[in-house]
Amino acid sequence: MAKNILIMTLTRIGDLVQATPLVSGLRKKYPGARITLMVSSDFAEFSHRIPNVDHIIVLNLRQFVGKEKSKGILWVGVYEYLKRFLDELRGKNFDLMVNLSHSKLSAFINLYLGIRNHIGFACNETGDRMANHPWMQLFGIEPFNRAYNPFNLVEMFTRSGDVDPRGEKIQVLSSGDDDASIGEIVRRERLEGERLLIGFQAGSSLENRRWPASRFAELAQRLIEEHNAKILLFGVESESVLAREIFSLTHRKDRIVDLTGKTNISQLTALLKKCRYLITNDTGTMHIASALGTPIVGLFFAHAHPYETGPYAPGHLIFQARIDCAPCSYGVTCNNIVCIQKISALHVYRMIREHMETGDWNVPSISGPMGEINVYKTARDESGRIRLWPLVRHALTVTDVFREAYYSFWPQVLGNDSTCPGPVEVAENLAGHYDCTGAERIIFKAREKLAGLDRLLSLSGEGIQATEKVLQANSNGTGTSGKFRELTRIIEQIDARISLTGCSCPEVKPVGDMFAKRKENFQGENIDELCQQTLECYGKLAAEAGILKRSVSEILSWLESRVDCADQIEQSSISAAVPGR
Amino acid sequence: MDRFEENLKLLRQADPALANRVSGVPFPENILVVHARDGSPVPKLRQITLHSAYHPVKEAARTVSQFERPEGYQTVVYGLGFGYHVLALLRTQPGIITVIEPLMPMFRAFLSHADLSLYLPRVRFIIGESGTKIIARHQGLSWNVFEHRPSLQLAETYFDELERGRELLEFLGRSRLRILVVPPIYGGSLPTARYCARALENLGHHVSLVECERFEEGFFALRQTSRNKAHTEVLNNKFMDLMGQVVAARAAEFQPDLVLALAQAPLSPKTIASLKSLRVPVAFWFVEDFRTLPYWKDVAGHYDHFFPIQRGEFFEKLRAAGCPDAYYLPQACSLETHRPLRLSPEELGAYSADLSFMGAGYYNRKMAFPRLLDFDFKIWGTGWELESILGPHIQNGSQHVPTEEAVKIYNAGRINLNLHSSNWHNGVNPEGDFVNPRTFEIAACGGFQLVDERSELQELFVADKEIVTFGTLDELRDRVAYYLEHEEERHRISALARARVFAEHTMEHRMNEMLLHIYLHRLEELEVRLHGRKSELDIAIEQAGPETELGQFLGQFRDTPDFSFKKIIQHIESGKGALSETETLLLTLNQVIKEGK
């Protein structure tokens, strides 16, 4: 029973907001516990808006920015600060740590603090990475399998605390001072009495993720002309350039208020609550607004992936380019950014107009070509979890099949959660949201992918056999160092082939990656213990490959039985799914 | 009674070089010798009586009675006078006593009045030599000094500088200077530059050696671009300008405390001036014959310090050329390179000979060597004509011999012939002055050599004891024949030569002497400079606190060249076992830096 919990999130405001269901769940689970939140100084002010937190600790590395020319060696100063900071933390005797930052920095902090029970990214005493808790392991493999990930970070964070995400909401605390804090702005900009305030968040942490300012301007123009909307431009000081560009491109400048760099958290919170909509790139502001109940029109470009970081609340709308390279991988630099061009201001305007008229997100009949656009709305599914439901019925793909299969699969195998939709329900959702006309080909291709699972099953069997040999040799004393080396080599080769299976069949890669992730946690040098852990890993791999295969088979069978078989099945090897998609 | 001749005879056996120096010195007119009450002769110079006018022997006994000799230190006496205090020390102190006396006339007078047999062999006399040289060659840090006060009064500046030199030696020993070494682009002196760099590193300094030899190909390619001499010269000058820029760029980045150029380093006067703008000493070790390579005239006046391997008339010429400071610094060897080897049978077969020569085919050698062809004689090196009478003796087709192979040759030859080069003599140059590096290298390898007489040699090795010389080709033949028959004597002489090299003639000795000379009057300036620029490691340890865990952890990097935070991380990441708390924090810090937080 944890009494003193430390939650570490050092990265983004969005992560803080997305962690609120976990924090809320931990509060319920450990009602007597003291919950401390560790954040970086950039988000210190906002962190006080996170509910269910008793104490906030700020890691202030920003104090060293620009201090290169000061006396002494900067890194020595930073080292001393880190030591003091972490030693002080140690002194607080936390008994549970939850690390929501997937970074080496957080892993080393985790190691230094030495808190016995810890969840999340970590490293062992020799500095090798590991991740505690199956959902944190999934979080660790997700960046390499993004196309097949159906889980929002909220769900992954929440489940990593063994908290049920159903019914949990993201939250941001309001303060009694919030409204008062915008008094001057309201007066100056004559916001009182405005019937349609719409917020724009045109900036984002990464430039590639931004919808063009010209399109924001065009949208603003339409909203102003058609609905007399007043547009509030949010953002930080450095995004004022964008605000000025939007301003300059819009005719009705009296209907635009540039608030970039001019609001603190209180003011932002209060103003977001006043907005009817927030049109935003994937940003922290989006999550805050979502938590406050302001309907979001989210624009996800470049690396941004709505499944991971979409607003975790019902009633929001997401736009994303539907092109082969979206979302792009972390670390790539695109020199031909086409995704941001796919979403026109008209697309967005029409959806907003439809929403204003009907109160729901629907694709209006006169929407124009949407072949290269994904449009999702957020809604709770039957189990109470937030899903992204496509509003444009694109043709079903193999990727869609496996992604939805994983939605059912992972909670089942990682936490024995039977509340997730079963294969039939998954299939129904697919049929309901995707155009299954001519899906026979997809079904056929998807079935081919099951061979990948067969390979994993077979390899896990080989792995078990090899490991048992090691165990036997060790227990009856017949193991020479040469024999152990040979058996180790065999096991390594099996593991390499497991990894290769994922490479050649990306749809099953998450299962192989999870296997590898579990192995990273192996500790110690006792051969028997290591063998037992290895056997367990191979066992899970076999079980999971089997479960996934059955699940996907059922989904496909259902789809097959329901879809129109107008097209002949094309038994050709020409059509190959794009790896990773 | 004048004991001079008698003493000179003794001195010739003990220290022929000193004997030679004093032999031509007349009795000084300005030293008055008076007799004390007890009859002992006492010198008087410039109104200063060097010993008691009553009982100099008793006085000496009294002054040395309080003198202690700590373990591990050698007794060094400042000032000779007429040596009563030295005799007193000999009675109370074991071992060798070194006497430093700046005034040769005083020593001359001493030899007339003292009984040298009472002093030898336990007293080593160092007379009229520069303090820098003495300190560098005689382990200046391990002296236990006895001061003869009257002698100090006579040569106050000299002894002050001696003490400054010792202070400087101690300071240099615990300091890490940044030294930029600029070698030639190619040629025989290139190895010397490398040895210098290594020696300076061995002395604990941080050295950057400009890799000029990487531009050798370009240098020669340019020369072949045109047959027009004027054009080639223009191209050559442009190339030298470029090389100067290369050196200047390196210096700007490295921020040295000293720039040391050698031989034909590609530094024009313009480049030297730009190096001087760094406000550090710029020195040049001219390791060549000033008569053969006259380029020194163009550059000597531009360097702060010029170190030739010759003295005499060259110093006058340097002064005339505007050289602000010249200091004689002979060549040396590198003990890491030049050492005894155990050769395999194949190597012995290839390199062994009764008589070996390793070097270029200069005129005098080509003229002299036919006199030796009746010996088992092997010749290595470049510039030899294979079709000549020497042809059958020339090894490896007269190809260039790499240093490692030269070391094997020195080791394998029963007698190494060391005839200094000359472009116009038929054999030995009777006016030969400087000593080539080969002399030291062969000695360091434990090889036996016969070397032609050189005026600078006598100070460096004791003739017929540590080294055997020849003045003519006839003498050479006789010596070859004799020493081939006297193997034990060869070994004995080689061993003594090697011991002498170890004691005084390594590249470390030379570099120390050079640094002492350069910084003798710049100690305060150097202290301020180094104090203001501590190494990053020192600053880090000081900042962290030497007794803290971090400070103690950082201590292990004291010998790490180019210490940086990155090196710490590399060290940790290459380690094994559990991370310590300090290591974990440093890895955490590394992530902070990487994430740019």
Side-chain angles (χ1 to χ4, degrees):
Chain A
M1 187 71 164
K3 294 196 175 110
N4 194 2
I5 303 171
L6 175 66
I7 301 175
M8 178 162 66
T9 124
L10 298 175
T11 43
R12 307 168 288 200
I13 279 188
D15 287 354
L16 277 170
V17 176
Q18 289 180 295
T20 50
L22 165 67
V23 181
S24 161
L26 287 174
R27 170 64 71 211
K28 288 178 204 149
K29 196 169 166 188
Y30 307 107
R34 179 175 162 84
I35 297 179
T36 301
L37 184 67
M38 180 165 119
V39 297
S40 73
S41 51
D42 290 345
F43 312 118
E45 192 194 348
F46 177 74
S47 62
H48 293 278
R49 300 280 172 157
I50 304 298
N52 298 300
V53 170
D54 298 301
H55 185 54
I56 291 171
I57 291 177
V58 179
L59 178 64
N60 181 11
L61 293 167
R62 191 155 283 284
Q63 63 179 303
F64 297 103
V65 170
K67 295 280 170 57
E68 291 80 7
K69 291 202 187 317
S70 60
K71 246 179 141 180
I73 296 180
L74 185 59
W75 66 257
V76 176
V78 180
Y79 174 95
E80 289 170 337
Y81 169 74
L82 280 172
K83 184 169 183 0
R84 276 195 308 274
F85 179 87
L86 294 176
D87 282 348
E88 202 181 314
L89 269 188
R90 267 183 175 173
K92 295 186 187 302
N93 297 316
F94 295 106
D95 53 21
L96 172 63
M97 169 155 173
V98 183
N99 176 17
L100 300 179
S101 307
H102 190 260
S103 67
K104 282 186 186 176
L105 170 63
S106 65
F108 287 127
I109 289 177
N110 202 339
L111 177 65
Y112 188 82
L113 292 176
I115 299 169
R116 205 159 48 89
N117 295 318
H118 56 92
I119 296 169
F121 198 48
C123 60
N124 61 20
E125 59 176 19
T126 55
D128 299 313
R129 71 168 174 225
M130 50 189 288
N132 282 347
H133 202 284
W135 278 94
M136 277 294 164
Q137 290 168 346
L138 186 65
F139 181 41
I141 67 166
E142 190 274 331
F144 311 104
N145 298 285
R146 301 178 85 197
Y148 303 102
N149 172 51
F151 300 108
N152 194 289
L153 290 190
V154 170
E155 183 151 3
M156 284 194 268
F157 288 168
T158 311
R159 287 186 183 272
S160 68
D162 294 318
V163 172
D164 190 340
R166 286 176 296 165
E168 286 292 347
K169 298 176 187 175
I170 53 170
Q171 301 171 74
V172 165
L173 293 175
S174 295
S175 159
D177 297 330
D178 289 345
D179 285 337
S181 71
I182 58 169
E184 171 58 30
I185 294 173
V186 169
R187 273 192 299 281
R188 187 179 68 235
E189 306 298 339
R190 299 197 191 103
L191 299 183
E192 205 61 62
E194 287 287 345
R195 289 175 54 224
L196 183 59
L197 278 176
I198 296 182
F200 278 8
Q201 171 61 53
S204 70
S205 56
L206 297 170
E207 211 174 306
N208 286 3
R209 290 193 183 194
R210 295 176 190 167
W211 202 39
S214 56
R215 301 228 168 155
F216 272 107
E218 193 187 328
L219 176 63
Q221 195 65 30
R222 284 185 187 274
L223 290 168
I224 294 168
E225 280 174 0
E226 301 295 329
H227 306 279
N228 199 33
K230 190 133 189 175
I231 309 296
L232 305 180
L233 302 179
F234 295 115
V236 295
E237 174 78 44
S238 57
E239 291 162 352
S240 300
V241 173
L242 293 165
R244 284 197 290 276
E245 194 181 339
I246 295 169
F247 201 78
S248 71
L249 293 170
T250 317
H251 302 311
R252 291 290 308 276
K253 298 182 197 312
D254 59 311
R255 302 301 292 166
I256 301 196
V257 182
D258 180 4
L259 295 170
T260 53
K262 294 171 187 155
T263 56
N264 56 28
I265 293 295
S266 270
Q267 290 163 329
L268 178 66
T269 305
L271 288 166
L272 284 172
K273 279 204 288 199
K274 283 189 173 306
C275 291
R276 183 91 74 87
Y277 300 97
L278 175 69
I279 321 301
T280 173
N281 296 304
D282 178 20
T283 58
T285 310
M286 177 190 76
H287 291 291
I288 296 173
S290 168
L292 294 170
T294 303
I296 301 292
V297 177
L299 302 155
F300 281 67
F301 303 112
H303 324 90
H305 195 28
Y307 281 95
E308 289 166 13
T309 55
Y312 196 80
H316 300 300
L317 185 74
I318 304 289
F319 280 94
Q320 184 192 30
R322 187 181 175 82
I323 51 180
D324 278 348
C325 55
C328 47
S329 303
Y330 291 111
V332 304
T333 306
C334 177
N335 63 3
N336 184 23
I337 306 171
V338 299
C339 52
I340 58 177
Q341 306 297 338
K342 298 299 178 189
I343 316 298
S344 70
L346 195 57
H347 285 132
V348 179
Y349 169 71
R350 280 173 175 159
M351 291 299 296
I352 294 174
R353 187 180 62 187
E354 182 75 13
H355 190 269
M356 284 199 287
E357 286 170 6
T358 65
D360 199 5
W361 295 111
N362 294 302
V363 178
S365 50
I366 41 155
S367 296
M370 305 273 270
E372 288 184 310
I373 303 174
N374 282 329
V375 185
Y376 300 103
K377 79 170 181 186
T378 61
R380 287 196 188 277
D381 66 6
E382 285 177 11
S383 68
R385 294 144 70 197
I386 298 292
R387 299 300 319 276
L388 288 185
W389 293 133
L391 294 182
V392 177
R393 283 173 65 88
H394 292 296
L396 183 70
T397 64
V398 174
T399 302
D400 296 324
V401 172
F402 273 88
R403 187 188 60 247
E404 292 305 310
Y406 280 120
Y407 185 72
S408 162
F409 169 77
W410 284 122
Q412 185 188 342
V413 303
L414 297 184
N416 213 18
D417 182 352
S418 56
T419 65
C420 286
V424 171
E425 217 176 316
V426 168
E428 284 172 350
N429 282 333
L430 286 170
H433 291 103
Y434 295 90
D435 180 1
C436 294
T437 312
E440 302 84 6
R441 217 169 114 255
I442 299 302
I443 293 167
F444 178 76
K445 297 302 297 179
R447 279 220 169 91
E448 280 186 340
K449 303 299 179 184
L450 298 181
L453 291 170
D454 287 333
R455 269 201 300 282
L456 289 180
L457 202 59
S458 165
L459 287 168
S460 60
E462 285 182 40
I464 288 169
Q465 272 183 17
T467 309
E468 281 174 349
K469 281 183 185 162
V470 175
L471 205 53
Q472 196 173 35
N474 191 48
S475 68
N476 63 22
T478 57
T480 62
S481 61
K483 190 169 181 182
F484 280 128
R485 266 200 300 277
E486 177 56 23
L487 288 169
T488 305
R489 193 185 62 81
I490 291 172
I491 290 173
E492 284 171 354
Q493 282 179 342
I494 293 169
D495 290 357
R497 284 156 65 202
I498 290 171
S499 173
L500 206 61
T501 303
C503 293
S504 57
C505 185
E507 291 78 6
V508 309
K509 190 169 179 296
V511 179
D513 282 359
M514 183 58 105
F515 162 80
K517 199 56 149 174
R518 288 179 179 129
K519 277 201 144 187
E520 284 178 0
N521 278 15
F522 286 8
Q523 297 218 59
E525 295 192 356
N526 182 292
I527 293 183
D528 274 351
E529 283 174 14
L530 287 171
C531 284
Q532 292 301 338
Q533 289 173 62
T534 307
L535 284 173
E536 202 180 313
C537 267
Y538 282 122
K540 281 187 178 170
L541 176 65
E544 286 165 6
I547 293 171
L548 185 62
K549 183 180 176 184
R550 280 194 296 280
S551 176
V552 172
S553 297
E554 268 193 64
I555 293 168
L556 295 174
S557 296
W558 190 95
L559 285 171
E560 200 169 33
S561 67
R562 297 291 189 280
V563 300
D564 186 3
C565 299
D567 294 343
Q568 294 294 316
I569 292 174
E570 210 178 311
Q571 294 197 27
S572 162
S573 64
I574 292 173
S575 312
V578 172
R581 296 284 175 259
Chain B
M1 176 192 159
D2 191 337
R3 289 176 175 268
F4 181 69
E5 290 302 328
E6 177 192 329
N7 284 334
L8 191 62
K9 209 183 267 182
L10 286 173
L11 189 62
R12 283 200 195 285
Q13 285 171 11
D15 191 342
L18 179 56
N20 274 347
R21 286 172 57 211
V22 77
S23 63
V25 177
F27 191 92
E29 286 176 10
N30 58 346
I31 293 180
L32 179 66
V33 179
V34 299
H35 288 276
R37 189 74 67 81
D38 69 359
S40 308
V42 172
K44 191 172 174 181
L45 176 61
R46 292 186 233 136
Q47 309 303 318
I48 296 172
T49 309
L50 276 291
H51 301 283
S52 162
Y54 296 92
H55 293 285
V57 174
K58 276 188 186 170
E59 176 199 51
R62 198 170 55 246
T63 54
V64 308
S65 64
Q66 305 297 318
F67 184 70
E68 288 177 12
R69 185 172 178 266
E71 201 64 44
Y73 283 79
Q74 51 172 320
T75 303
V76 175
V77 179
Y78 284 2
L80 175 60
F82 272 14
Y84 297 106
H85 52 291
V86 180
L87 284 178
L89 282 169
L90 282 171
R91 282 192 280 274
T92 59
Q93 308 269 325
I96 301 289
I97 292 175
T98 302
V99 176
I100 300 176
E101 169 54 55
L103 304 174
M104 181 60 84
M106 184 61 71
F107 183 63
R108 173 62 180 88
F110 165 80
L111 288 179
S112 283
H113 290 275
D115 179 358
L116 198 61
S117 67
L118 299 176
Y119 296 83
L120 296 175
R122 287 182 56 206
V123 176
R124 176 171 54 192
F125 294 97
I126 300 179
I127 310 297
E129 300 207 28
S130 89
T132 306
K133 178 178 162 187
I134 299 171
I135 293 165
R137 297 194 200 178
H138 297 282
Q139 298 170 306
L141 288 178
S142 63
W143 295 355
N144 183 33
V145 175
F146 178 88
E147 292 177 343
H148 180 236
R149 303 276 354 141
S151 293
L152 260 62
Q153 278 182 285
L154 278 179
E156 201 175 333
T157 306
Y158 178 86
F159 286 110
D160 278 347
E161 280 202 356
L162 201 57
E163 279 303 296
R164 271 180 78 83
R166 293 182 66 217
E167 195 186 324
L168 174 59
L169 186 67
E170 191 270 333
F171 178 77
L172 288 173
R174 58 180 164 81
S175 303
R176 196 169 156 83
L177 270 61
R178 295 172 71 83
I179 304 175
L180 184 70
V181 177
V182 187
I185 296 172
Y186 70 100
S189 300
L190 187 47
T192 300
R194 294 196 193 112
Y195 302 149
C196 284
R198 204 185 316 156
L200 288 165
E201 281 175 347
N202 290 343
L203 290 172
H205 303 296
H206 184 190
V207 179
S208 177
L209 177 67
V210 182
E211 293 174 323
C212 295
E213 71 262 34
R214 292 170 76 181
F215 299 86
E216 180 185 355
E217 217 174 301
F219 174 71
F220 285 108
L222 267 183
R223 284 188 161 184
Q224 287 158 17
T225 307
S226 169
R227 279 185 289 191
N228 183 314
K229 210 170 168 191
H231 293 169
T232 311
E233 202 173 317
V234 166
L235 288 172
N236 193 54
N237 289 340
K238 296 270 183 208
F239 182 84
M240 285 301 158
D241 281 344
L242 172 65
M243 287 307 302
Q245 291 298 313
V246 166
V247 174
R250 187 76 196 94
E253 190 183 302
F254 184 62
Q255 290 294 305
D257 301 309
L258 167 67
V259 178
L260 170 62
L262 280 102
Q264 295 177 63
L267 297 182
S268 62
K270 190 173 147 192
T271 307
I272 299 168
S274 78
L275 290 172
K276 279 182 168 181
S277 70
L278 295 171
R279 295 179 190 274
V280 297
V282 183
F284 186 74
W285 192 10
F286 182 61
V287 292
E288 285 155 332
D289 184 356
F290 79 92
R291 298 178 188 91
T292 309
L293 292 166
Y295 70 87
W296 59 269
K297 293 176 192 166
D298 301 322
V299 296
H302 296 274
Y303 284 98
D304 295 312
H305 304 280
F306 193 88
F307 295 90
I309 57 173
Q310 296 155 292
R311 286 185 283 195
E313 67 168 306
F314 190 27
F315 271 57
E316 285 164 29
K317 290 183 185 297
L318 284 170
R319 254 193 300 277
C323 177
D325 173 66
Y327 182 90
Y328 167 66
L329 192 71
Q331 266 276 16
C333 65
S334 165
L335 292 184
E336 284 156 325
T337 303
H338 308 109
R339 64 211 187 280
L341 294 176
R342 184 163 289 174
L343 300 174
S344 68
E346 292 76 23
E347 284 169 328
L348 280 170
Y351 300 116
S352 180
D354 281 348
L355 186 63
S356 292
F357 177 79
M358 215 304 294
Y362 277 89
Y363 177 80
N364 67 323
R365 293 166 180 165
K366 286 180 184 173
M367 299 304 291
F369 287 2
R371 295 281 305 270
L372 304 165
L373 293 181
D374 55 332
F375 291 107
D376 167 30
F377 185 20
K378 286 184 179 170
I379 301 169
W380 280 269
T382 55
W384 298 97
E385 281 133 20
L386 299 173
E387 289 79 34
S388 70
I389 195 171
L390 297 172
H393 296 263
I394 295 164
Q395 310 298 305
N396 281 2
S398 191
Q399 294 299 303
H400 168 71
V401 177
T403 304
E404 301 75 30
E405 206 174 334
V407 172
K408 290 178 185 172
I409 295 166
Y410 298 150
N411 269 271
R414 280 176 205 86
I415 298 176
N416 285 284
L417 175 54
N418 183 4
L419 175 63
H420 285 72
S421 62
S422 168
N423 283 326
W424 55 82
H425 294 94
N426 287 333
V428 176
N429 174 2
E431 306 295 321
D433 46 18
F434 71 89
V435 174
N436 63 18
R438 189 179 295 109
T439 310
F440 305 97
E441 291 166 5
I442 294 170
C445 290
F448 177 81
Q449 65 182 300
L450 293 175
V451 57
D452 53 318
E453 285 172 6
R454 310 286 287 183
S455 60
E456 298 288 4
L457 185 62
Q458 57 184 336
E459 228 182 79
L460 301 168
F461 291 95
V462 178
D464 297 324
K465 187 177 162 199
E466 294 170 343
I467 207 155
V468 178
T469 62
F470 57 92
T472 65
L473 293 180
D474 282 337
E475 276 181 14
L476 171 59
R477 280 191 61 86
D478 290 343
R479 304 261 196 281
V480 169
Y482 177 84
Y483 281 103
L484 281 176
E485 296 299 317
H486 292 82
E487 184 180 352
E488 273 188 34
E489 208 172 324
R490 288 204 314 264
H491 290 325
R492 192 180 68 246
I493 293 170
S494 308
L496 287 171
R498 188 153 183 266
R500 185 72 188 265
V501 162
F502 258 84
E504 294 180 32
H505 301 314
T506 66
M507 206 48 85
E508 282 79 2
H509 286 105
R510 298 295 183 260
M511 290 300 99
N512 233 357
E513 192 172 339
M514 178 189 291
L515 292 176
L516 285 169
H517 177 74
I518 291 171
Y519 288 106
L520 188 62
H521 298 291
R522 284 194 173 99
L523 178 53
E524 287 82 15
E525 183 188 314
L526 185 61
E527 278 174 336
V528 167
R529 187 181 170 90
L530 293 192
H531 182 74
R533 198 219 58 224
K534 285 183 188 165
S535 72
E536 186 182 339
L537 178 61
D538 287 333
I539 297 173
I541 293 176
E542 197 179 304
Q543 192 176 334
E547 300 310 314
T548 62
E549 282 169 13
L550 179 61
Q552 288 178 356
F553 179 85
L554 292 175
Q556 66 184 298
F557 295 98
R558 284 218 180 271
D559 294 325
T560 304
D562 294 320
F563 167 80
S564 63
F565 181 75
K566 197 170 164 186
K567 293 251 167 152
I568 299 176
I569 300 302
Q570 283 171 349
H571 169 80
I572 296 173
E573 286 177 345
S574 63
K576 289 192 187 317
L579 294 166
S580 67
E581 286 193 357
T582 305
E583 289 171 329
T584 305
L585 274 175
L586 287 163
L587 289 173
T588 309
L589 171 61
N590 188 40
Q591 291 306 313
V592 168
I593 293 169
K594 276 186 171 181
E595 291 183 22
K597 286 195 183 295

